[in-house]
Amino acid sequence: MPECHRLYQAQHKFKTLNNSNNGTALGSIIQLNSAYTDRVLEDIMKEHGSWDVLHAQTARGVWDEITIAHFQAASAYRTRSFVDAYTYQLASYNAFLRVFRDLPQWSLPVLYSLSRDLCDVAQRADNQLANTDAESSKLEEATRAINQGFSLCMTDREPLPNKSRKWGTYHMANTLFALYVRHKAYNLCDSMIRAIKTSEL
């Protein structure tokens, strides 16, 4: 496996921000179009001449999975390979959900950033697939993934308000509302409203 020192540095930065509970900073750099992501990709290109090295890396833990998939998604996004970018972004998002279920409120900005980029790249992937007459269902799949993040916020049992993920419920609900309306799934809007009303928010 070829070494990629710049990617290792990024992995260390992501882990450090996680360990220091700095969700605001982590949420700002884990965006596909963040200045930090741009710099890392530029450095990898200078170091290796391409981004192929990103696909030869092995994750040694969940934050490695999140980080590697993030930069794979970002590199595919920049080459307008939106279907591939969606696949990698979904992998990064799903890996984050595995740790998010045990994280408190500070991690919400990371969820928001990953969710926003997942929706964006899903729509772009569907548009790209539509141009080739291929089946386009990435946004529907992304909606199901976003719903998992919403559920992890709404069902959090943390009793301390300053640590509860429930603060993220309405933000994720707004994202889902927009997706449901786009799908004309108005019954799902009603179901979500009822779920929020019966939860302890």
Side-chain angles (χ1 to χ4, degrees):
M1 180 182 69
E3 293 187 352
C4 183
H5 297 292
R6 189 63 181 93
L7 180 62
Y8 294 160
Q9 291 173 351
Q11 289 171 313
H12 178 71
K13 185 176 184 70
F14 279 31
K15 291 174 188 175
T16 298
L17 291 174
N18 172 65
N19 292 337
S20 62
N21 301 342
N22 195 338
T24 300
L26 185 52
S28 69
I29 67 172
I30 204 170
Q31 298 174 33
L32 292 179
N33 283 324
S34 74
Y36 178 79
T37 297
D38 281 341
R39 289 196 301 273
V40 172
L41 289 178
E42 288 174 5
D43 290 345
I44 291 173
M45 180 66 75
K46 291 176 183 177
E47 183 181 349
H48 296 277
S50 75
W51 292 318
D52 292 346
V53 68
L54 290 169
H55 306 285
Q57 304 304 306
T58 301
R60 295 180 175 84
V62 66
W63 275 102
D64 284 350
E65 289 182 49
I66 295 166
T67 309
I68 292 170
H70 166 70
F71 287 104
Q72 288 172 332
S75 63
Y77 192 93
R78 280 155 181 74
T79 59
R80 302 188 64 80
S81 301
F82 295 124
V83 177
D84 289 340
Y86 168 77
T87 300
Y88 296 130
Q89 182 66 18
L90 181 63
S92 184
Y93 178 87
N94 284 335
F96 176 72
L97 288 189
R98 300 209 314 267
V99 295
F100 179 67
R101 64 183 66 250
D102 297 317
L103 294 175
Q105 180 186 345
W106 68 260
S107 60
L108 288 172
V110 185
L111 177 69
Y112 300 159
S113 292
L114 290 170
S115 299
R116 183 171 54 252
D117 281 344
L118 183 63
C119 293
D120 171 59
V121 78
Q123 183 64 68
R124 292 175 185 272
D126 278 346
N127 291 341
Q128 201 165 61
L129 288 168
N131 291 334
T132 63
D133 294 325
E135 182 181 356
S136 55
S137 59
K138 303 303 183 186
L139 195 59
E140 291 182 16
E141 185 180 33
T143 301
R144 292 191 291 271
I146 299 299
N147 187 60
Q148 293 178 32
F150 165 75
S151 296
L152 287 173
C153 291
M154 187 176 66
T155 60
D156 186 23
R157 296 186 179 279
E158 169 59 55
L160 297 177
N162 66 333
K163 293 185 177 181
S164 177
R165 294 192 308 269
K166 285 188 176 182
W167 289 101
T169 300
Y170 289 111
H171 186 286
M172 298 301 289
N174 285 335
T175 301
L176 282 173
F177 272 130
L179 292 168
Y180 290 157
V181 169
R182 187 173 297 179
H183 296 314
K184 294 184 171 55
Y186 304 116
N187 61 314
L188 295 179
C189 292
D190 293 336
S191 297
M192 184 167 58
I193 291 172
R194 287 195 297 271
I196 292 173
K197 283 182 177 179
T198 56
S199 66
E200 298 177 0
L201 293 178

